[in-house]
Amino acid sequence: MGSNIFGIGLSALNAAQLGITTTGHNIANASTPGYNRQTILQAANEPQNLGGSFIGQGVSVTQIQRQYNSFLGGQVNASQSAKNQADVYFTQISQINNLVADPTAGVTPALQDFFKAFQNLAASPNGTAGAAARQAALSSAQSLAGRLNGLQTRLDQISADVNGQIGTTVNAINSYATQLANLNDTIEKAQGTSSSSSGPNDLLDQRDQIVTELSKLTKVSVVPQGAKYNVFIGNGQPLVLGSNVNQLAVSQSLTDPTRTEVSYLANGVPVLLPENSFAGGKLGGLFDFRASTLDVAQNSIGRIAIGLATQFNDQQKLGLDLNGQVGGNFFSVAGPVTTPSALNTSTASINATITDTTALTTSDYRLQFIGGNYKITRLSDGATQSSATLPLKFDGINFQLAPPPAAAVPAAGDEYLIRPTAAGGSTFAVAIQDPAKLAAAAPLTTSFPTTNTGSGKISVGVANSQVSSGSNSATATIGPATADDSFLGSTLAAPVNLTFASPANTISGFPAGATVSVKVGAVTTTYPPPATVPYTSGATISFSGISFAIKDGVTPPANGDTFTLAAALPVAASTLTYNAAGNTITGFPATANVTVTNGSVSTIYPAGTAVPYTSGSTISYNGISFSVSGNPANGDVFNVAPNTNGSGDNRNAVILSNLQTKNTVAGSTTTFQGGYAQFVSLVGNKAHELEITNASETKLLAQNITAQQSESGVNLDEEAANLLRYQQAYQAAGKLMQIASTLFDSLLALGR
């Protein structure tokens, strides 16, 4: 009996001692990250059957149990990913928000100062005040260029920083993956050598803590498989499968060498993963910020820069400078950037040119050659256009194959990234240094002599196109020619003479190397060089940024009729005469087709035709416009001549300053300042949204951690109570063993 009591006491003593050890372990690790409270589970030993009675045999500790709830742990990890993604995104966007929101250092005040300088020039175009105004206009333009360049430089720095953080994050993910794989192997071996139902608790805690740390970097999904964890990140990319690690790597984008992306190694070869495959955590926040805000910010600044430079240059070229010369480019700016994929198998190259700055978006584009068709995708929303041939126009951009020797048909699967406005902000610069070259004057003058006997008057004329059009056809007419934003003046260094052939019913004579498109209704057909195109009355014909229409008159054109396109400036001198007998005006240049617009109705008259007179109607020819009004008398004349002196003339400066209030951005819905304000508002609203989201995710994470700690965390008060309880149990067990020892000694004494 004494021996039995001794055994029972010993089992109680061991159990109490293990309880004290476990409690002490909890207390020691109360502040250890990822530690989960441990408790001992006790069970009575199997009793001994003596004469039909079962005598107890003490106690055994069956398990040291880890208080871990996988559901609560998963909630903490999910909240950790969401919180870190919002936190990183908010931190990054705050840099841009602080940069553009400054009312004194941003682009808006520079734009205001720039246009104010041109308003001052328009008010004081000559003399000492005019010279000062010209210099002030040039200085304000340089200041604006500096602001745009500085803003773009800062955005480039942020982009480089994002690339660096992506690399650091990928290295950290790989490190955690290796640790997880090693722990998987260690835990499996430990459990395989243990007869206990419990695992190596501290190792399990370490593994779960690494998963939590990993969830701060990217979204994590855990699938247990026996004693091991299979870990998937992002939208399902396997990272750890048992003891095997799928290492991630930092790679360059196939279509943008300045852009860092993430790949995984397959047989030692990196395979790029889409940016949107990494949701959650720091990595998800960085990718989300770059795609949704940083790229848009760079393109928004570029759109303003390209739009302003192009619109200003186009109008500058319709004016006259102080030297009596037609204006040249006031600003310089780079066009679209096209990059072929590193996986392309052909040498084909794509040229992208901007034809309409008012239609530009803030998106990049992907062009693919698939199934014999060219497919262009707007990356911001996935909108597409497809065609079997190029060129193809989309959002104010003309996509076409590069000229020889680069021109080759792309191979199937070839891909190109086109960034129309990405380089605008960094390359925006003032192209002139001499204030005298600022074209403030109009290139033509209009007048009527005092010898006129009627009351007719001619308005101040304006130049409205860089291209003049005319013909020698007695019946057919060529309408006013328009030049889009891709037009180069060198195209018309020599006049282009187009010839109509009958009965072939074709037009030829386009410049060598020019691709010509003909639009009939909604159908556009492209003709490669050397182009001879079929003639359709009223069809829109376009080449090299010039568009026009040739139309039948009383009869179609005659064989050999020519239609001429030439530079509109300098203006040809003309003396227009009013003829009372027919109520007409004559004297227009010999080959000029004249357009008369009355209200919304425009009528084109063949060259050499007497033009009916309607008071106040707009008369246009050779790229210039004016109106004649009143009641002229027979023989009254009206003079149109080139302006030979730009001094004292502010007509073009007025038009240039009016560009401030003209809707030329975002589909002609807003001004330059309005477009920039939209960008600032976009950044500010997104930053505010993320601030709220970040605060919400922080609170949710705190709640989930509290719920987890309430079950798994160490409560020192509770552990202190357990320590006293096990201490008392230990003392009682010791007393029991003392009694057993006394009884055993008594039995031994009986035998002596």
PDB file of all heavy atoms in Angstrom, residues 54 129 132 136 145 152 241 268 303 307 334 342 364 390 435 447 493 507 510 520 550 609 623 633 680 739:
ATOM      1  N   PHE A  54     -11.556  -1.137  -7.915  1.00  0.00           N
ATOM      2  CA  PHE A  54     -10.561  -0.472  -8.762  1.00  0.00           C
ATOM      3  C   PHE A  54      -9.895   0.627  -7.956  1.00  0.00           C
ATOM      4  O   PHE A  54     -10.538   1.568  -7.494  1.00  0.00           O
ATOM      5  CB  PHE A  54     -11.229   0.109 -10.015  1.00  0.00           C
ATOM      6  CG  PHE A  54     -11.715  -0.960 -10.969  1.00  0.00           C
ATOM      7  CD1 PHE A  54     -12.985  -1.512 -10.848  1.00  0.00           C
ATOM      8  CD2 PHE A  54     -10.870  -1.436 -11.966  1.00  0.00           C
ATOM      9  CE1 PHE A  54     -13.420  -2.489 -11.721  1.00  0.00           C
ATOM     10  CE2 PHE A  54     -11.318  -2.423 -12.841  1.00  0.00           C
ATOM     11  CZ  PHE A  54     -12.584  -2.964 -12.727  1.00  0.00           C
ATOM     12  N   ALA A 129       7.116  98.947 -73.653  1.00  0.00           N
ATOM     13  CA  ALA A 129       6.231  98.055 -72.892  1.00  0.00           C
ATOM     14  C   ALA A 129       6.079  96.714 -73.596  1.00  0.00           C
ATOM     15  O   ALA A 129       6.034  95.654 -72.961  1.00  0.00           O
ATOM     16  CB  ALA A 129       4.869  98.715 -72.691  1.00  0.00           C
ATOM     17  N   ALA A 132       9.186  94.598 -73.016  1.00  0.00           N
ATOM     18  CA  ALA A 132       9.178  94.037 -71.664  1.00  0.00           C
ATOM     19  C   ALA A 132       8.158  92.915 -71.552  1.00  0.00           C
ATOM     20  O   ALA A 132       8.403  91.885 -70.903  1.00  0.00           O
ATOM     21  CB  ALA A 132       8.870  95.138 -70.650  1.00  0.00           C
ATOM     22  N   ALA A 136       8.777  89.069 -70.533  1.00  0.00           N
ATOM     23  CA  ALA A 136       8.027  88.486 -69.414  1.00  0.00           C
ATOM     24  C   ALA A 136       7.303  87.219 -69.850  1.00  0.00           C
ATOM     25  O   ALA A 136       7.233  86.233 -69.101  1.00  0.00           O
ATOM     26  CB  ALA A 136       7.031  89.509 -68.866  1.00  0.00           C
ATOM     27  N   ALA A 145       7.802  75.650 -67.715  1.00  0.00           N
ATOM     28  CA  ALA A 145       8.540  74.443 -68.105  1.00  0.00           C
ATOM     29  C   ALA A 145       9.298  73.867 -66.911  1.00  0.00           C
ATOM     30  O   ALA A 145       9.334  72.641 -66.712  1.00  0.00           O
ATOM     31  CB  ALA A 145       9.509  74.770 -69.241  1.00  0.00           C
ATOM     32  N   GLN A 152       7.605  66.241 -62.897  1.00  0.00           N
ATOM     33  CA  GLN A 152       7.857  64.949 -63.533  1.00  0.00           C
ATOM     34  C   GLN A 152       9.090  64.272 -62.939  1.00  0.00           C
ATOM     35  O   GLN A 152       9.097  63.049 -62.736  1.00  0.00           O
ATOM     36  CB  GLN A 152       8.040  65.137 -65.033  1.00  0.00           C
ATOM     37  CG  GLN A 152       8.229  63.844 -65.800  1.00  0.00           C
ATOM     38  CD  GLN A 152       7.019  62.943 -65.713  1.00  0.00           C
ATOM     39  OE1 GLN A 152       5.922  63.336 -66.075  1.00  0.00           O
ATOM     40  NE2 GLN A 152       7.197  61.735 -65.200  1.00  0.00           N
ATOM     41  N   LEU A 241       5.319  24.683 -50.933  1.00  0.00           N
ATOM     42  CA  LEU A 241       4.590  23.421 -51.001  1.00  0.00           C
ATOM     43  C   LEU A 241       5.381  22.402 -50.199  1.00  0.00           C
ATOM     44  O   LEU A 241       6.359  21.828 -50.685  1.00  0.00           O
ATOM     45  CB  LEU A 241       4.420  22.963 -52.455  1.00  0.00           C
ATOM     46  CG  LEU A 241       3.615  23.889 -53.373  1.00  0.00           C
ATOM     47  CD1 LEU A 241       3.617  23.378 -54.801  1.00  0.00           C
ATOM     48  CD2 LEU A 241       2.181  24.032 -52.862  1.00  0.00           C
ATOM     49  N   GLY A 268      14.603  27.415 -63.478  1.00  0.00           N
ATOM     50  CA  GLY A 268      15.654  28.412 -63.552  1.00  0.00           C
ATOM     51  C   GLY A 268      15.367  29.575 -64.477  1.00  0.00           C
ATOM     52  O   GLY A 268      16.179  30.493 -64.588  1.00  0.00           O
ATOM     53  N   ARG A 303      -0.057  64.825 -70.396  1.00  0.00           N
ATOM     54  CA  ARG A 303      -1.165  65.268 -71.251  1.00  0.00           C
ATOM     55  C   ARG A 303      -1.288  66.789 -71.252  1.00  0.00           C
ATOM     56  O   ARG A 303      -1.503  67.401 -72.309  1.00  0.00           O
ATOM     57  CB  ARG A 303      -2.485  64.633 -70.787  1.00  0.00           C
ATOM     58  CG  ARG A 303      -3.667  65.034 -71.647  1.00  0.00           C
ATOM     59  CD  ARG A 303      -4.915  64.267 -71.305  1.00  0.00           C
ATOM     60  NE  ARG A 303      -5.448  64.606 -69.989  1.00  0.00           N
ATOM     61  CZ  ARG A 303      -6.664  64.248 -69.566  1.00  0.00           C
ATOM     62  NH1 ARG A 303      -7.452  63.525 -70.349  1.00  0.00           N
ATOM     63  NH2 ARG A 303      -7.077  64.585 -68.363  1.00  0.00           N
ATOM     64  N   GLY A 307      -0.527  68.794 -74.619  1.00  0.00           N
ATOM     65  CA  GLY A 307      -1.652  69.579 -75.116  1.00  0.00           C
ATOM     66  C   GLY A 307      -1.314  71.051 -75.223  1.00  0.00           C
ATOM     67  O   GLY A 307      -1.600  71.700 -76.238  1.00  0.00           O
ATOM     68  N   ALA A 334       8.297  65.894 -76.304  1.00  0.00           N
ATOM     69  CA  ALA A 334       8.408  64.564 -76.916  1.00  0.00           C
ATOM     70  C   ALA A 334       7.021  63.970 -77.135  1.00  0.00           C
ATOM     71  O   ALA A 334       6.073  64.266 -76.410  1.00  0.00           O
ATOM     72  CB  ALA A 334       9.237  63.642 -76.040  1.00  0.00           C
ATOM     73  N   ALA A 342      10.187  42.291 -75.259  1.00  0.00           N
ATOM     74  CA  ALA A 342      11.442  41.560 -75.400  1.00  0.00           C
ATOM     75  C   ALA A 342      11.219  40.172 -76.002  1.00  0.00           C
ATOM     76  O   ALA A 342      12.177  39.536 -76.460  1.00  0.00           O
ATOM     77  CB  ALA A 342      12.130  41.428 -74.042  1.00  0.00           C
ATOM     78  N   ASP A 364      -2.173  54.264 -70.875  1.00  0.00           N
ATOM     79  CA  ASP A 364      -1.231  53.667 -71.801  1.00  0.00           C
ATOM     80  C   ASP A 364      -1.982  52.661 -72.663  1.00  0.00           C
ATOM     81  O   ASP A 364      -3.130  52.297 -72.373  1.00  0.00           O
ATOM     82  CB  ASP A 364      -0.095  52.968 -71.050  1.00  0.00           C
ATOM     83  CG  ASP A 364       0.743  53.945 -70.237  1.00  0.00           C
ATOM     84  OD1 ASP A 364       0.815  55.128 -70.618  1.00  0.00           O
ATOM     85  OD2 ASP A 364       1.314  53.529 -69.208  1.00  0.00           O
ATOM     86  N   LEU A 390      -2.939  48.678 -90.615  1.00  0.00           N
ATOM     87  CA  LEU A 390      -2.598  49.938 -89.976  1.00  0.00           C
ATOM     88  C   LEU A 390      -2.402  50.973 -91.077  1.00  0.00           C
ATOM     89  O   LEU A 390      -2.057  50.616 -92.192  1.00  0.00           O
ATOM     90  CB  LEU A 390      -1.326  49.796 -89.129  1.00  0.00           C
ATOM     91  CG  LEU A 390      -1.426  48.935 -87.873  1.00  0.00           C
ATOM     92  CD1 LEU A 390      -0.065  48.897 -87.155  1.00  0.00           C
ATOM     93  CD2 LEU A 390      -2.493  49.435 -86.930  1.00  0.00           C
ATOM     94  N   PRO A 435      12.950  86.912 -77.765  1.00  0.00           N
ATOM     95  CA  PRO A 435      11.571  87.410 -77.604  1.00  0.00           C
ATOM     96  C   PRO A 435      10.975  87.927 -78.900  1.00  0.00           C
ATOM     97  O   PRO A 435       9.746  87.915 -79.068  1.00  0.00           O
ATOM     98  CB  PRO A 435      11.726  88.532 -76.574  1.00  0.00           C
ATOM     99  CG  PRO A 435      12.985  88.224 -75.845  1.00  0.00           C
ATOM    100  CD  PRO A 435      13.880  87.585 -76.848  1.00  0.00           C
ATOM    101  N   SER A 447      -8.102  95.683 -95.737  1.00  0.00           N
ATOM    102  CA  SER A 447      -8.387  97.120 -95.798  1.00  0.00           C
ATOM    103  C   SER A 447      -9.332  97.418 -96.949  1.00  0.00           C
ATOM    104  O   SER A 447      -9.567  96.556 -97.817  1.00  0.00           O
ATOM    105  CB  SER A 447      -7.084  97.914 -95.971  1.00  0.00           C
ATOM    106  OG  SER A 447      -6.471  97.589 -97.207  1.00  0.00           O
ATOM    107  N   ALA A 493       6.810  71.620 -98.055  1.00  0.00           N
ATOM    108  CA  ALA A 493       7.931  72.458 -98.476  1.00  0.00           C
ATOM    109  C   ALA A 493       7.799  72.771 -99.961  1.00  0.00           C
ATOM    110  O   ALA A 493       8.154  73.860-100.428  1.00  0.00           O
ATOM    111  CB  ALA A 493       9.248  71.747 -98.194  1.00  0.00           C
ATOM    112  N   ILE A 507      -7.272  59.298-107.949  1.00  0.00           N
ATOM    113  CA  ILE A 507      -6.474  60.475-107.634  1.00  0.00           C
ATOM    114  C   ILE A 507      -5.078  59.991-107.263  1.00  0.00           C
ATOM    115  O   ILE A 507      -4.922  59.075-106.444  1.00  0.00           O
ATOM    116  CB  ILE A 507      -7.092  61.283-106.484  1.00  0.00           C
ATOM    117  CG1 ILE A 507      -8.441  61.859-106.921  1.00  0.00           C
ATOM    118  CG2 ILE A 507      -6.167  62.406-106.044  1.00  0.00           C
ATOM    119  CD1 ILE A 507      -9.170  62.585-105.817  1.00  0.00           C
ATOM    120  N   PHE A 510       0.297  61.825-104.454  1.00  0.00           N
ATOM    121  CA  PHE A 510       0.597  62.015-103.034  1.00  0.00           C
ATOM    122  C   PHE A 510       2.102  61.908-102.806  1.00  0.00           C
ATOM    123  O   PHE A 510       2.822  61.267-103.581  1.00  0.00           O
ATOM    124  CB  PHE A 510      -0.138  60.962-102.203  1.00  0.00           C
ATOM    125  CG  PHE A 510      -1.632  61.077-102.280  1.00  0.00           C
ATOM    126  CD1 PHE A 510      -2.359  60.297-103.177  1.00  0.00           C
ATOM    127  CD2 PHE A 510      -2.321  61.968-101.476  1.00  0.00           C
ATOM    128  CE1 PHE A 510      -3.729  60.396-103.256  1.00  0.00           C
ATOM    129  CE2 PHE A 510      -3.703  62.077-101.552  1.00  0.00           C
ATOM    130  CZ  PHE A 510      -4.413  61.295-102.447  1.00  0.00           C
ATOM    131  N   VAL A 520     -15.228  57.032 -96.372  1.00  0.00           N
ATOM    132  CA  VAL A 520     -16.517  57.174 -97.032  1.00  0.00           C
ATOM    133  C   VAL A 520     -17.587  56.746 -96.041  1.00  0.00           C
ATOM    134  O   VAL A 520     -17.674  55.569 -95.685  1.00  0.00           O
ATOM    135  CB  VAL A 520     -16.598  56.319 -98.311  1.00  0.00           C
ATOM    136  CG1 VAL A 520     -17.957  56.503 -98.987  1.00  0.00           C
ATOM    137  CG2 VAL A 520     -15.472  56.682 -99.257  1.00  0.00           C
ATOM    138  N   ILE A 550     -12.707  66.345-101.711  1.00  0.00           N
ATOM    139  CA  ILE A 550     -12.935  66.800-103.083  1.00  0.00           C
ATOM    140  C   ILE A 550     -14.355  66.394-103.459  1.00  0.00           C
ATOM    141  O   ILE A 550     -14.771  65.251-103.225  1.00  0.00           O
ATOM    142  CB  ILE A 550     -11.914  66.177-104.051  1.00  0.00           C
ATOM    143  CG1 ILE A 550     -10.496  66.600-103.658  1.00  0.00           C
ATOM    144  CG2 ILE A 550     -12.214  66.580-105.496  1.00  0.00           C
ATOM    145  CD1 ILE A 550      -9.402  65.940-104.478  1.00  0.00           C
ATOM    146  N   THR A 609     -14.590  81.312-109.991  1.00  0.00           N
ATOM    147  CA  THR A 609     -16.022  81.564-110.005  1.00  0.00           C
ATOM    148  C   THR A 609     -16.329  82.857-109.265  1.00  0.00           C
ATOM    149  O   THR A 609     -15.731  83.146-108.224  1.00  0.00           O
ATOM    150  CB  THR A 609     -16.786  80.403-109.341  1.00  0.00           C
ATOM    151  OG1 THR A 609     -16.475  79.202-110.019  1.00  0.00           O
ATOM    152  CG2 THR A 609     -18.293  80.643-109.373  1.00  0.00           C
ATOM    153  N   GLY A 623      -6.639  79.015 -96.327  1.00  0.00           N
ATOM    154  CA  GLY A 623      -6.297  79.003 -94.913  1.00  0.00           C
ATOM    155  C   GLY A 623      -6.549  80.288 -94.173  1.00  0.00           C
ATOM    156  O   GLY A 623      -6.132  80.425 -93.019  1.00  0.00           O
ATOM    157  N   ALA A 633     -20.802  99.445-103.060  1.00  0.00           N
ATOM    158  CA  ALA A 633     -21.235  99.935-104.367  1.00  0.00           C
ATOM    159  C   ALA A 633     -20.472  99.206-105.457  1.00  0.00           C
ATOM    160  O   ALA A 633     -19.416  98.601-105.217  1.00  0.00           O
ATOM    161  CB  ALA A 633     -20.989 101.437-104.460  1.00  0.00           C
ATOM    162  N   VAL A 680      -5.389  66.904 -59.817  1.00  0.00           N
ATOM    163  CA  VAL A 680      -5.182  67.202 -58.394  1.00  0.00           C
ATOM    164  C   VAL A 680      -6.340  66.654 -57.570  1.00  0.00           C
ATOM    165  O   VAL A 680      -6.153  66.070 -56.490  1.00  0.00           O
ATOM    166  CB  VAL A 680      -5.029  68.715 -58.173  1.00  0.00           C
ATOM    167  CG1 VAL A 680      -4.972  69.040 -56.685  1.00  0.00           C
ATOM    168  CG2 VAL A 680      -3.765  69.219 -58.864  1.00  0.00           C
ATOM    169  N   ILE A 739       4.126  11.138   3.629  1.00  0.00           N
ATOM    170  CA  ILE A 739       3.312  10.157   4.373  1.00  0.00           C
ATOM    171  C   ILE A 739       3.631   8.752   3.895  1.00  0.00           C
ATOM    172  O   ILE A 739       3.759   7.804   4.691  1.00  0.00           O
ATOM    173  CB  ILE A 739       1.823  10.481   4.203  1.00  0.00           C
ATOM    174  CG1 ILE A 739       1.499  11.816   4.881  1.00  0.00           C
ATOM    175  CG2 ILE A 739       0.955   9.359   4.740  1.00  0.00           C
ATOM    176  CD1 ILE A 739       0.095  12.324   4.605  1.00  0.00           C
TER     177      ILE A 739
END
